[in-house]
């Protein structure tokens, strides 16, 4: 096992990132030196309009930086005085289990993430209220939620700062630790494999859709499903794709000096000729739409 793989076998260093942000806050604000708390909301589930399916999910970067959690509808609390990181995850909904299966539960979250405690979201207001009652001088650093909404959630009046946390996280994210560097290197390696697959597919590809399919397939097969380009805004065409005309630079009147190329380190994909399609693309018989 190489060093990069060994690093990524461990947990995402969420608590180290929280401590880094806490240190930044303490150097910028005297209030953070006392009993202070960081509160963040994760990205919420957003349904497609007139549909019961959610839009493609992407976690908020500040939330992921401080938790390593990529689940929707989560919250976190980090207590600076005790260096305690608590994650709140969606409650179990019996009605959705039959369709979506069992969700992540707190004991599993404790094993998966670098956190100290995990509770369902239904316990979040009581926890915020408890922290506020424990110390009247406590100060909350919040982001991505209006102050009034946060006070309503906490069910009490709390001293809040909605301006300092955002620049603090942005500043801390500039420098990367060994885990983040290993993630970047892995993403680059998968990107190299995907682009190499595209180069191998060029001689036999009939259109750009096939090249995109080669790239997406390489990303997904290497456990990087969300690394490939989003295709949520593409439209389905009822007409057959036009055949791509591949031309050389010389044919386009461009003079390029010869360039030596290193041998490709990855095996070429199968070049099996696909069976001819039996579908008719006439106006009276368009290809079926796949939903």
């Amino acid at each position: 096992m190489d060093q990069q793989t060994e690093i990524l076998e461990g947990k995402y260093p969420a608590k180290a990132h929280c401590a880094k942000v806490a240190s930044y806050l303490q150097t910028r604000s005297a209030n953070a030196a006392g009993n202070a708390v960081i509160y963040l909301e994760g990205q919420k589930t957003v349904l497609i309009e007139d549909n019961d399916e959610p839009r493609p999910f992407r976690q908020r970067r500040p939330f992921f930086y401080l938790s390593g959690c990529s689940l929707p509808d989560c919250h976190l609390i980090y207590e600076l005085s005790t260096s305690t990181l608590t994650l709140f995850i969606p409650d179990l909904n019996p009605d959705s289990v039959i369709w979506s299966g069992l969700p992540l539960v707190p004991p599993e979250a404790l094993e998966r993430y670098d956190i100290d405690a995990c509770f369902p979201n239904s316990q979040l207001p009581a926890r915020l209220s408890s922290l506020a009652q424990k110390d009247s001088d406590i100060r909350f650093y919040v982001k991505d939620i209006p102050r009034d909404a946060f006070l309503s959630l906490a069910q009490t009046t709390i001293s809040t700062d909605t301006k300092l946390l955002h620049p603090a996280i942005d500043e801390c994210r500039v420098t990367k630790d060994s885990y983040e560097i290993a993630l970047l290197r892995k993403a680059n390696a998968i990107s190299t494999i995907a682009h190499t697959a595209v180069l191998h597919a060029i001689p036999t590809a009939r259109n750009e859709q096939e090249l995109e399919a080669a790239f997406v397939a390489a990303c997904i097969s290497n456990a990087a499903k969300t690394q490939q380009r989003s295709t949520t805004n593409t439209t389905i065409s009822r007409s057959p794709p036009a055949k791509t005309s591949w031309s050389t630079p010389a044919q386009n009147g461009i003079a390029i000096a010869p360039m030596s190329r290193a041998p490709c380190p990855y095996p070429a994909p199968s070049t099996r000729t696909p069976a001819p399609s039996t579908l008719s693309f006439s106006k009276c018989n368009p290809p079926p739409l796949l939903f």
Side-chain angles (χ1 to χ4, degrees):
M1 180 183 299
D2 59 16
Q3 183 179 7
Q4 175 178 308
T5 303
E6 184 178 355
I7 292 174
L8 295 179
E9 286 291 329
K11 293 182 179 180
Y12 182 88
K15 292 189 64 178
H17 292 171
C18 288
K20 188 177 180 180
V21 174
S23 178
Y24 181 96
L25 291 174
Q26 289 169 346
T27 60
R28 298 298 193 280
S29 173
N31 295 318
N35 192 9
V37 175
I38 294 173
Y39 169 79
L40 275 181
E41 277 190 345
Q43 185 64 264
K44 298 180 180 180
T45 299
V46 180
L47 296 179
I48 300 174
E49 186 177 358
D50 297 327
N51 200 317
D52 60 355
E53 294 184 1
R55 293 179 181 176
F57 176 79
R58 185 184 181 94
Q59 187 61 277
R60 285 173 169 164
R61 292 182 179 181
F63 187 88
F64 186 84
Y65 181 72
L66 296 186
S67 68
C69 176
S70 56
L71 298 176
D73 305 313
C74 294
H75 309 257
L76 70 81
I77 293 175
Y78 181 74
E79 302 172 52
L80 276 67
S81 59
T82 59
S83 301
T84 302
L85 178 59
T86 304
L87 179 68
F88 294 84
I89 60 178
D91 294 69
L92 174 65
N93 183 358
D95 293 335
S96 67
V97 170
I98 189 173
W99 308 108
S100 306
L102 288 172
L104 186 73
V105 294
E108 295 174 336
L110 285 170
E111 294 181 2
R112 180 181 300 184
Y113 304 119
D114 183 26
I115 56 178
D116 297 300
C118 182
F119 301 101
N121 285 337
S122 57
Q123 298 186 26
L124 175 62
R127 181 57 180 166
L128 292 174
S129 179
S130 174
L131 289 172
Q133 294 173 6
K134 188 183 301 183
D135 186 353
S136 59
D137 295 329
I138 192 171
R139 188 174 184 83
F140 279 79
Y141 292 88
V142 302
K143 182 185 179 298
D144 296 326
I145 180 174
R147 183 178 183 275
D148 293 342
F150 176 73
L151 296 180
S152 176
L153 177 65
Q155 300 177 349
T156 186
T157 301
I158 305 177
S159 175
T160 60
D161 185 313
T162 59
K163 297 181 179 179
L164 189 56
L165 184 56
H166 190 178
I169 296 176
D170 284 349
E171 186 71 21
C172 292
R173 289 181 62 235
V174 172
T175 55
K176 308 299 183 184
D177 55 30
S178 58
Y179 194 97
E180 292 172 295
I181 293 174
L183 281 176
L184 290 171
R185 288 175 173 169
K186 182 176 181 180
N188 286 335
I190 296 175
S191 180
T192 299
I193 294 173
H195 283 89
T196 303
V198 172
L199 294 176
H200 282 306
I202 286 178
T204 57
R206 297 171 298 178
N207 48 61
E208 292 184 3
Q209 289 93 322
E210 293 185 3
L211 297 180
E212 181 182 10
F215 186 92
V216 172
C219 289
I220 294 178
S221 62
N222 284 277
K225 184 176 181 180
T226 57
Q227 183 164 321
Q228 45 89 7
R229 182 179 66 84
S230 173
T231 57
T232 56
N233 293 326
T234 57
T235 57
I236 301 176
S237 173
R238 286 182 174 268
S239 59
K243 182 174 178 59
T244 303
S245 175
W246 305 103
S247 59
T248 64
Q251 291 173 333
N252 292 328
I254 303 175
I256 298 180
M259 178 178 61
S260 59
R261 296 183 179 179
C264 178
Y266 304 103
S270 172
T271 56
R272 183 180 61 183
T273 303
S277 174
T278 58
L279 291 176
S280 172
F281 293 98
S282 65
K283 293 183 179 180
C284 298
N285 184 25
L289 297 178
L290 303 179
F291 292 121

